[in-house]
Amino acid sequence: MASATAGADAAPTQSDRDDVARRLLHSSEALSYDPAQEVDWETPLDTNHHGASPEWSTLYGTSYWAEMTPEQQRELTRQEAASVASTGIWFEMILQQMMLRDFYAKDPTEPAFQWALTEIADECRHSIMFARGAAKLRAPAYRPRRLVVELGRAFKTLAFGEAAYAAILVAEEVLDVMQRDWMRDERIAPFVRTINNIHVVEESRHMKFAREETRSRLAGAGWLRRQINALVVAIVSYFIVTSMVHKKVYANAGLDPERATREAKNNEHHKSLLRSSCSGLMEFLGSAGLLTKASMWIYKRANLL
């Protein structure tokens, strides 16, 4: 991993950015999905299936998990998957607004402008897909706590440049690693696997754009600017990751919420899984000069480092 004091990689030129945007547009034309047609929304939910890989459950590996019946384990993973989807919708709405602000009144003939609108359209479809998926999993609407919602409201209004795109990247990368496991797991409901596959394929393009924009916006940035943005991105990352699984999932799965919350908080298996899944992300942030001592402390608190 790059050190916390490492400088950024060479910034992409305008020509590089245009080339990346064109490739992403061509890729989107060649391989995109319509969730309304691709996902099996009609077949009733089979409760013999999980909603997420059991190993990704916040309670997997705990004494409580060992005491749970297979039915309770499956119900918990379904509620957790729905919670992750709800958090995804929340952040995708933030992402869309940041990108619209960023490209407001810019040259619509540029490939990056056209890609931004393509990505926003993708995110609209993804949010609807996640919402329908959560409903089919028989889950309520899980929202981040009020403080986090209001912080998100401020962030989507004020964030710009590398802080916006690096935060987008964090949210997408963390979810991507989970879903790559889930889409291959035959223990998971088929419609959920399809949702994960669609999201992984299309988000890979979004992550490429976020990386390029982060590098580009950091071109010529000084030490202080990198320190500030590294801290902002880390704080946003903390709230995204800690909001993914709402504590109400435990009661909705028929568990003791206090015990479940306590054991999930101390679950070293889940913490280790998060850290290993974010190794590539941390390497990128380090190479971009966005992994500082202060930000590393926050990432460790979020179990991302």
Side-chain angles (χ1 to χ4, degrees):
M1 180 182 296
S3 70
T5 57
D9 289 341
T13 64
Q14 184 61 45
S15 177
D16 292 335
R17 293 176 68 208
D18 287 347
D19 287 344
V20 168
R22 287 192 189 94
R23 290 199 300 272
L24 294 174
L25 286 166
H26 292 156
S27 174
S28 181
E29 291 170 5
L31 184 60
S32 289
Y33 298 96
D34 178 359
Q37 302 300 320
E38 299 287 343
V39 180
D40 179 4
W41 300 113
E42 302 304 321
T43 302
L45 174 67
D46 182 351
T47 56
N48 288 316
H49 285 116
H50 285 274
S53 296
E55 293 78 9
W56 273 98
S57 173
T58 55
L59 289 181
Y60 184 87
T62 65
S63 59
Y64 204 174
W65 179 269
E67 295 172 19
M68 292 163 60
T69 66
E71 291 77 14
Q72 287 177 314
Q73 292 173 352
R74 291 194 294 268
E75 180 61 31
L76 176 59
T77 64
R78 290 195 294 268
Q79 294 296 322
E80 288 176 323
S83 179
V84 169
S86 293
T87 302
I89 294 169
W90 166 69
F91 195 78
E92 284 180 344
M93 294 185 75
I94 292 174
L95 178 159
Q96 292 170 51
Q97 293 178 72
M98 290 193 299
M99 292 191 75
L100 279 171
R101 281 196 300 105
D102 189 37
F103 282 90
Y104 175 72
K106 290 187 177 178
D107 185 350
T109 66
E110 290 187 352
F113 184 100
Q114 295 168 27
W115 167 254
L117 293 184
T118 301
E119 181 168 337
I120 290 166
D122 286 348
E123 298 296 7
C124 286
R125 292 194 304 275
H126 294 170
S127 292
I128 296 169
M129 176 176 70
F130 284 167
R132 293 184 69 180
K136 186 166 180 175
L137 287 169
R138 302 173 186 169
Y142 291 112
R143 298 184 183 89
R145 54 198 172 96
R146 182 61 181 270
L147 172 63
V148 178
V149 169
E150 295 308 320
L151 289 173
R153 194 186 307 278
F155 183 71
K156 72 178 178 59
T157 304
L158 301 173
F160 63 93
E162 62 271 16
Y165 284 100
I168 288 170
L169 181 63
V170 169
E172 291 174 337
E173 287 262 9
V174 173
L175 192 55
D176 180 73
V177 175
M178 292 182 187
Q179 291 185 319
R180 284 182 185 275
D181 283 349
W182 300 355
M183 72 184 194
R184 302 184 184 99
D185 193 336
E186 294 185 356
R187 296 170 295 178
I188 294 175
F191 82 94
V192 176
R193 293 174 62 195
T194 303
I195 288 173
N196 291 328
N197 183 68
I198 290 172
H199 199 249
V200 164
V201 169
E202 297 185 345
E203 287 294 317
S204 65
R205 295 188 284 259
H206 301 182
M207 290 187 290
K208 174 66 174 176
F209 188 70
R211 286 173 182 261
E212 292 299 310
E213 288 301 298
T214 299
R215 291 192 186 99
S216 175
R217 305 305 175 92
L218 279 168
W223 179 86
L224 180 60
R225 177 173 158 187
R226 290 179 190 275
Q227 292 287 317
I228 293 171
N229 281 308
L231 187 60
V232 169
V233 173
I235 292 170
V236 172
S237 303
Y238 175 85
F239 285 116
I240 291 171
V241 172
T242 57
S243 298
M244 279 192 164
V245 177
H246 199 287
K247 62 183 180 181
K248 288 184 179 179
V249 301
Y250 304 119
N252 290 335
L255 305 178
D256 176 351
E258 291 187 5
R259 181 185 174 188
T261 300
R262 183 172 62 252
E263 294 207 19
K265 184 177 181 180
N266 297 316
N267 187 354
E268 291 302 324
H269 167 81
H270 194 256
K271 292 177 183 179
S272 176
L273 202 57
L274 278 175
R275 284 192 294 269
S276 63
S277 71
C278 291
S279 59
L281 171 63
M282 292 298 120
E283 184 175 349
F284 171 77
L285 293 175
S287 73
L290 292 176
L291 204 54
T292 62
K293 288 183 178 180
S295 67
M296 288 172 69
W297 182 82
I298 295 172
Y299 288 126
K300 288 177 181 177
R301 292 272 296 176
N303 300 305
L304 299 181
L305 185 64

